[in-house]
């Protein structure tokens, strides 16, 4: 099974001293149980939904040719909500349209999962991230793409906040990424992939 993880710095695992992030932890756990998993971490710092929309299909095709069992996992949204010159980098409606286009096409080609954007600890940013996350759920439901909202699981959690404060102020270290890993590890759609 080849699994492509698309998204931003939180997919990339920025700040993790183990250089695993949550995708690396998930795939290491799967391999420890005997699953022949190849992981492609395609998280890029500062990527928005628009950036992912522009690149995911070609990158997935290069790594998951038709004869292989390829899977797709997406997680993005924080960078869409970051303000530049007083405005979100990607307006909310555009971010939702990007998400719909990505997931509709992805679902038609490979089994697909969507992980919501995380809490950041920056209050004004988190208002926008939470609103976007809340609106991603219905789109995923409509498209029959399993969606895991992680924002509420991370909000105010000490290890995430403390690690981010010791780092760059936003990204956690191994403890924070382990929280996302644990949430996905016990999520039924992920478990079904590796049943």
């Amino acid at each position: 099974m080849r699994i492509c993880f698309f998204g931003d710095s939180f997919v990339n695992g920025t700040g993790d001293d183990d250089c695993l992030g949550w995708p690396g932890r998930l795939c290491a756990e799967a391999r420890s149980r005997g699953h022949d998993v190849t992981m492609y971490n395609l998280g890029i710092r500062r990527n928005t939904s628009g950036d992912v929309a522009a690149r995911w299909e070609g990158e997935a095709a290069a790594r998951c040719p038709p004869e292989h069992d390829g899977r797709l996992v997406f997680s993005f949204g924080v960078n869409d909500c970051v303000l530049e010159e007083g405005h979100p980098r990607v307006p909310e409606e555009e971010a939702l349209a990007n998400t719909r286009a990505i997931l509709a096409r992805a679902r038609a080609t490979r089994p697909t999962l969507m992980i919501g954007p995380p809490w950041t600890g920056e209050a004004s940013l988190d208002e926008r991230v939470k609103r976007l996350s809340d609106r991603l759920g219905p789109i995923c439901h409509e498209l029959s793409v399993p969606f895991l909202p992680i924002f509420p699981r991370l909000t105010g959690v000490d290890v995430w906040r403390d690690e981010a404060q010791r780092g760059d102020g936003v990204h956690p270290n191994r403890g924070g990424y382990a929280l996302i890993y644990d949430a996905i590890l016990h999520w039924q759609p992920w478990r079904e992939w590796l049943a």
Side-chain angles (χ1 to χ4, degrees):
M1 182 186 299
R2 299 182 178 197
I3 308 177
C4 294
F5 294 85
F6 288 98
D8 52 23
S9 57
F10 293 104
V11 173
N12 172 266
T14 299
D16 181 2
D17 287 341
D18 296 328
C19 295
L20 292 171
W22 53 266
R25 285 174 168 78
L26 286 169
C27 292
E29 191 279 337
R31 290 190 63 83
S32 76
R33 291 189 293 116
H35 295 287
D36 185 11
V37 173
T38 299
M39 179 196 79
Y40 296 101
N41 188 325
L42 300 165
I44 298 178
R45 294 187 79 165
R46 285 186 51 80
N47 258 200
T48 65
S49 61
D51 297 319
V52 174
R55 68 181 175 88
W56 79 267
E57 202 159 359
E59 292 182 6
R63 291 159 179 85
C64 298
E67 65 271 20
H68 292 284
D69 179 10
R71 310 294 174 101
L72 307 172
V73 180
F74 294 91
S75 183
F76 49 77
V78 171
N79 289 314
D80 294 60
C81 299
V82 169
L83 296 183
E84 285 188 348
E85 299 180 5
H87 302 285
R89 289 183 62 207
V90 179
E92 188 171 301
E93 294 304 321
E94 183 180 335
L96 294 169
N98 289 339
T99 302
R100 180 181 299 279
I102 291 166
L103 296 181
R105 179 66 183 144
R107 181 184 173 278
T109 59
R110 298 286 186 181
T112 302
L113 301 176
M114 178 80 185
I115 311 300
W119 179 75
T120 71
E122 294 184 12
S124 61
L125 173 59
D126 281 332
E127 288 179 19
R128 295 185 296 278
V129 173
K130 181 183 185 305
R131 187 171 59 244
L132 179 62
S133 180
D134 289 346
R135 296 188 69 190
L136 292 175
I139 291 173
C140 292
H141 178 75
E142 179 186 329
L143 296 173
S144 299
V145 172
F147 175 66
L148 180 64
I150 59 170
F151 187 95
R153 298 169 185 256
L154 302 175
T155 302
V157 174
D158 289 345
V159 66
W160 184 284
R161 183 185 62 244
D162 294 347
E163 287 183 349
Q165 288 175 351
R166 287 194 300 271
D168 65 6
V170 176
H171 298 94
N173 203 319
R174 59 178 61 95
Y177 288 111
L179 294 173
I180 301 176
Y181 152 80
D182 190 64
I184 300 170
L185 180 66
H186 296 99
W187 183 40
Q188 189 63 30
W190 175 262
R191 294 176 67 86
E192 288 174 359
W193 274 13
L194 299 169

